[in-house]
Amino acid sequence: PVAAAPARRHLRRARALADARPDPFHDPFRRFPTSLSDPAVLAELASTSAFSPSTLESYLSCPFAWFLEKVVGVEELASGVDARAVGTLVHAAAKSAYEPLVASSTRLRADGVPAALERACATIDLLAESERIPGTPAARRLAAARAKLLTGRLVLMEAASDGRLVPARLESEVGGDDGVDIGGVRIRGRVDRIDAHPLDGSRFVVD
């Protein structure tokens, strides 16, 4: 029946079958939804209580884009180097570069740069060949090259600084699965690095 057509295509078929002329001033499918209404979808969204900062930033930027990316799981077609792959590689490389410094409670100095870069590049090469990094072999090689460049700049900048802080924790988890309540919203994620002052033990978050 024309009145029961669930979509525009079905409406056209129903009208053709009923030999009914289309009404150019009445198209029940021209309206766009203004909110979510499916009970299953609403229940799934309501069950989520902890969010990462990037999720909140995405929602505030564009709720529709947030829904497609974070809920539906639609991925954008990437052009050039995959920034997420590069980010994954840089995080892993930085962690491997600084781990010995955390163990010895020392900061990175110029004489330690070659060893730090060697550890970082070895981690990048190993990870770029694994299934954790998406894309073709050529795309993974491009991401690895970009990650090595960025990590190299980070290590050299660190060694050239004259600060007294030393790395204390790397990729530190915050909030676990339940998140940290900051007033009605629960936040979870990872902090890139936490540095410590060698004299008074003050902590400085680097993220």
Side-chain angles (χ1 to χ4, degrees), residues 17 22 80 82 99 104 142 149 163 175 190 204:
L17 184 63
D82 188 336
E99 274 178 334
S104 61
L142 285 173
L149 177 63
R190 288 183 180 274
F204 297 84

Side-chain angles (χ1 to χ4, degrees), residues 99-158:
E99 274 178 334
L101 303 177
V102 174
S104 61
S105 296
T106 57
R107 63 181 300 271
L108 182 63
R109 303 186 185 278
D111 57 358
V113 167
L117 288 178
E118 183 178 355
R119 292 191 298 270
C121 289
T123 298
I124 290 174
D125 288 335
L126 184 64
L127 191 57
E129 295 175 358
S130 70
E131 294 183 354
R132 284 186 58 188
I133 304 302
T136 64
R140 291 199 295 267
R141 286 195 297 270
L142 285 173
R146 178 67 174 161
K148 289 179 181 179
L149 177 63
L150 293 175
T151 305
R153 290 176 180 172
L154 173 67
V155 169
L156 291 173
M157 181 180 67
E158 178 89 17

Side-chain angles (χ1 to χ4, degrees), residues 174-190:
V174 176
D177 292 335
D178 296 330
V180 177
D181 192 342
I182 60 171
V185 177
R186 306 188 73 86
I187 299 294
R188 56 179 168 78
R190 288 183 180 274

Side-chain angles (χ1 to χ4, degrees), residues 179-204:
V180 177
D181 192 342
I182 60 171
V185 177
R186 306 188 73 86
I187 299 294
R188 56 179 168 78
R190 288 183 180 274
V191 171
D192 294 344
R193 181 170 134 190
I194 300 176
D195 288 353
H197 195 286
L199 296 182
D200 59 15
S202 300
R203 293 295 193 264
F204 297 84

